[in-house]
Amino acid sequence: MNQIVSSLIEAFQYQFIIKALLVGSLIAFSSSVMGIFLVLKKFSMIGDGLAHVSFATVAIALLFNASPLIVSIPVVILASFLILKLNEKAGLHGDAAIGLVSSFSVAFGVLLASMSNGFNVDLFSYLFGSILIISDIDLIFSLILSIVVVIGLLLFYNALFAVTHDEEFAEVIGIDVKLMNRVIAVLTSITIVLGIRVVGTMLISSMIIFPTVTALQLSRSFKQTIVIAVAISIFCVIAGVLASFVFNLPSGATIVMLNAFFFAIFFVIKRIGGQS
Amino acid sequence: MSEIECKKLIIGYNGTPLCEPIDLIVEQGQYLFIIGENGSGKSSFIKTLTGLLPRIDGQITYSIPHQRLGYVSQKHQVYTDFPATSFEVIQSGGLYKLKKSPFYKKEDKKAVRELMASLKISHLAEKSFHHLSGGQKQRVLIARALMTTDRLLILDEPINGLDPTTRREVYDMLKELHQKGITIIMVSHDHEAAYQYGTHILTFESGKYRHMVNENLIEDEKEVVTCRSN
């Protein structure tokens, strides 16, 4: 026990841990709030699809020695528009459209990776996250983009609420539903690209889905859903980063496991509460 | 004074008309029931009125900006398990008041509370929308529409899936609103209610429409309603 406490104290002396906690919390905030709109709009698989697209964009960036963040954001935003468009068209089912885009992206990413040096350490770190090795540029980008997400959410919060609850009503009272769906797509794309640094392309959709679904077990109001989801998400990232340092575990997977743990607890509480 | 005026309005999907050109005036204070078989065009007509469906041809003139129509969408369009309180749902009807500010002001919240009190649903304010009964949900959605408008309600099959007692409650609420001077346009399968409550009835059948004054009601209530139909 003493050993754990002393390594926790030790953790806070490292700059990389402080950076990881800061960036991780910002991304936990953005991903959990975006998650609420995505889950409620039944768009959660868009998050998953875009995460797969970001795998391909990271492979492209690494092949050309460019910053994965800079390459990924515009491409993932474009992909999100494409998925929305395919979703709106009657010919293709929404989930099938996402399946098409994501499997294509993964295949493309794998081919690119094999053309360079195969799956090297760098690509592996983007697959499963590597929040403990965040560069200063990543930190600055994460800060700026998280602020963009927060401002976007504040500006459009009420319109997003209306569109998520009842699209027809929102359209009648003059809200541009298509624009709002695009706002969701852009903010989600940014969040996902940032999130791959924390938990990786394979696990980022869990950071979007878990906190919301957990909050939905107990929340009564929309505001409460947001507060619970954000609190759980930030707690899981902080606890996950520290636990991964102390117990020498992979940070991304630890964060996701903590999220799963909270979900299980809330799920059980709801069931017990419902029976009594 | 007319609330809505349709001139040679052609409704339908993808350029294919569902009905002959419609000429119709809905005067202030009318309670118009729209009835007809599935696919006859009644829902398409209402969707065209609200701007959800583009009109093929013709004209619609509104007395108010069409974003200020009080619309109650069909039940399956509304996310019924939504994690929001009734207050939050009703408040979202007042979105047009926000203009540039991202937050509702104190007086906006007060207006929601006053509206809920006048509709006798104050007790539902903090209740989660998805825990409400079917009838309570419908009342909250009508309240949300009233945040947008104080003169014209358009409802798309509001009593579908409700039991007879709850239907009665919704009809009573609408009757009260109509008596306060709100114009009501409502799509329904409930012919009996149409003749019981409606001042006017619009029927769609096999590509034709018929707009008429509900003579029974006028006889019963000795109400004088002016009507200009085609």
Side-chain angles (χ1 to χ4, degrees):
Chain A
M1 188 67 198
N2 275 344
Q3 214 178 349
I4 295 174
V5 174
S6 63
S7 34
L8 267 179
I9 294 168
E10 188 196 338
F12 283 102
Q13 286 159 4
Y14 292 109
Q15 215 190 355
F16 70 90
I17 291 281
I18 305 289
K19 261 196 233 172
L21 291 177
L22 182 64
V23 172
S25 304
L26 287 170
I27 293 163
F29 175 87
S30 311
S31 60
S32 54
V33 181
M34 285 322 298
I36 292 168
F37 296 107
L38 291 173
V39 169
L40 292 177
K41 277 187 82 63
K42 307 209 188 317
F43 275 179
S44 12
M45 290 321 286
I46 290 185
D48 203 53
L50 293 179
H52 287 107
V53 173
S54 68
F55 170 72
T57 58
V58 167
I60 296 171
L62 293 178
L63 184 66
F64 293 106
N65 253 336
S67 155
L69 267 182
I70 295 171
V71 175
S72 297
I73 285 175
V75 181
V76 174
I77 289 176
L78 279 178
S80 71
F81 286 170
L82 178 69
I83 290 177
L84 275 184
K85 200 90 202 154
L86 289 172
N87 230 345
E88 283 161 12
K89 296 277 173 214
L92 276 171
H93 292 290
D95 51 347
I98 296 166
L100 289 183
V101 175
S102 58
S103 53
F104 168 80
S105 307
V106 171
F108 187 62
V110 171
L111 280 178
L112 280 184
S114 72
M115 277 161 66
S116 51
N117 293 323
F119 280 87
N120 53 31
V121 179
D122 257 4
L123 189 59
F124 190 81
S125 80
Y126 280 98
L127 268 176
F128 298 105
S130 54
I131 194 173
L132 300 182
I133 46 167
I134 267 177
S135 69
D136 284 347
I137 292 183
D138 279 349
L139 176 70
I140 293 165
F141 258 113
S142 305
L143 270 172
I144 295 171
L145 292 172
S146 302
I147 291 167
V148 169
V149 173
V150 172
I151 292 174
L153 282 169
L154 283 178
L155 282 180
F156 296 112
Y157 171 81
N158 289 299
L160 288 173
F161 174 93
V163 169
T164 311
H165 183 226
D166 185 349
E167 226 171 71
E168 271 200 352
F169 176 78
E171 201 174 333
V172 170
I173 62 171
I175 295 170
D176 191 336
V177 172
K178 277 192 179 167
L179 175 73
M180 283 306 123
N181 283 339
R182 273 164 185 59
V183 167
I184 292 177
V186 169
L187 297 181
T188 304
S189 304
I190 296 174
T191 306
I192 282 173
V193 174
L194 290 176
I196 56 177
R197 230 7 186 154
V198 184
V199 289
T201 57
M202 291 296 112
L203 298 173
I204 176 63
S205 58
S206 64
M207 274 190 79
I208 286 179
I209 299 169
F210 264 123
T212 299
V213 179
T214 305
L216 286 179
Q217 303 302 314
L218 296 183
S219 63
R220 284 171 168 272
S221 72
F222 200 68
K223 285 212 174 95
Q224 216 177 60
T225 312
I226 295 180
V227 171
I228 297 175
V230 168
I232 288 175
S233 187
I234 292 180
F235 178 83
C236 288
V237 167
I238 292 175
V241 167
L242 293 175
S244 66
F245 176 81
V246 173
F247 301 109
N248 197 21
L249 298 166
S251 53
T254 312
I255 292 168
V256 177
M257 288 313 281
L258 280 171
N259 267 300
F261 173 71
F262 270 103
F263 171 71
I265 290 181
F266 276 54
F267 183 82
V268 170
I269 292 174
K270 188 192 177 184
R271 291 298 170 278
I272 294 171
Q275 279 165 7
S276 62
Chain B
M1 188 188 151
S2 65
E3 290 286 13
I4 292 182
E5 193 170 343
C6 306
K7 276 186 196 159
K8 296 193 170 39
L9 176 68
I10 302 182
I11 56 165
Y13 289 91
N14 303 324
T16 314
L18 272 169
C19 178
E20 61 183 326
I22 302 165
D23 284 295
L24 173 88
I25 292 175
V26 181
E27 302 276 357
Q28 197 179 8
Q30 285 187 359
Y31 191 158
L32 174 70
F33 266 80
I34 306 175
I35 52 179
E37 294 298 312
N38 280 338
S40 60
K42 57 185 193 312
S43 267
S44 312
F45 175 65
I46 225 169
K47 285 198 163 63
T48 313
L49 282 190
T50 50
L52 288 168
L53 187 68
R55 56 180 191 271
I56 297 178
D57 202 8
Q59 247 189 353
I60 311 174
T61 323
Y62 307 89
S63 62
I64 42 175
H66 108 261
Q67 287 87 352
R68 295 289 308 277
L69 306 173
Y71 180 61
V72 180
S73 30
Q74 236 180 75
K75 211 174 167 190
H76 64 84
Q77 298 288 351
V78 185
Y79 200 137
T80 48
D81 290 339
F82 202 69
T85 59
S86 307
F87 186 91
E88 286 174 313
V89 170
I90 296 172
Q91 182 173 251
S92 72
L95 207 60
Y96 71 94
K97 291 178 186 164
L98 283 176
K99 296 189 181 102
K100 282 179 186 161
S101 150
F103 300 109
Y104 290 104
K105 294 191 190 73
K106 264 189 185 159
E107 55 257 38
D108 298 331
K109 290 182 190 285
K110 199 176 149 212
V112 178
R113 265 181 239 114
E114 283 172 0
L115 176 71
M116 291 186 82
S118 75
L119 297 173
K120 302 179 195 82
I121 52 170
S122 296
H123 59 291
L124 302 179
E126 294 311 315
K127 284 206 172 152
S128 182
F129 185 72
H130 73 270
H131 289 148
L132 302 182
S133 69
Q136 288 172 330
K137 273 184 186 144
Q138 211 50 261
R139 288 208 241 171
V140 166
L141 293 179
I142 292 172
R144 180 182 64 177
L146 290 169
M147 282 302 291
T148 312
T149 187
D150 53 3
R151 47 196 288 181
L152 178 61
L153 272 184
I154 299 183
L155 307 98
D156 199 352
E157 308 204 21
I159 44 100
N160 260 15
L162 300 179
D163 62 71
T165 323
T166 319
R167 280 179 184 204
R168 186 64 205 239
E169 282 170 25
V170 174
Y171 282 132
D172 285 347
M173 182 183 188
L174 291 171
K175 191 176 171 187
E176 220 171 281
L177 291 170
H178 178 237
Q179 281 164 349
K180 283 181 187 164
I182 292 177
T183 310
I184 298 177
I185 301 176
M186 169 169 165
V187 170
S188 180
H189 279 293
D190 191 348
H191 290 214
E192 206 179 301
Y195 288 98
Q196 190 181 345
Y197 297 101
T199 62
H200 291 71
I201 292 166
L202 176 65
T203 320
F204 284 96
E205 204 183 343
S206 5
K208 303 254 177 228
Y209 78 99
R210 210 154 62 99
H211 181 214
M212 57 184 186
V213 180
N214 183 9
E215 302 287 350
N216 297 339
L217 187 80
I218 291 177
E219 238 168 59
D220 287 350
E221 301 201 352
K222 305 258 181 278
E223 191 182 345
V224 182
V225 184
T226 51
C227 166
R228 273 166 50 200
S229 89
N230 63 313

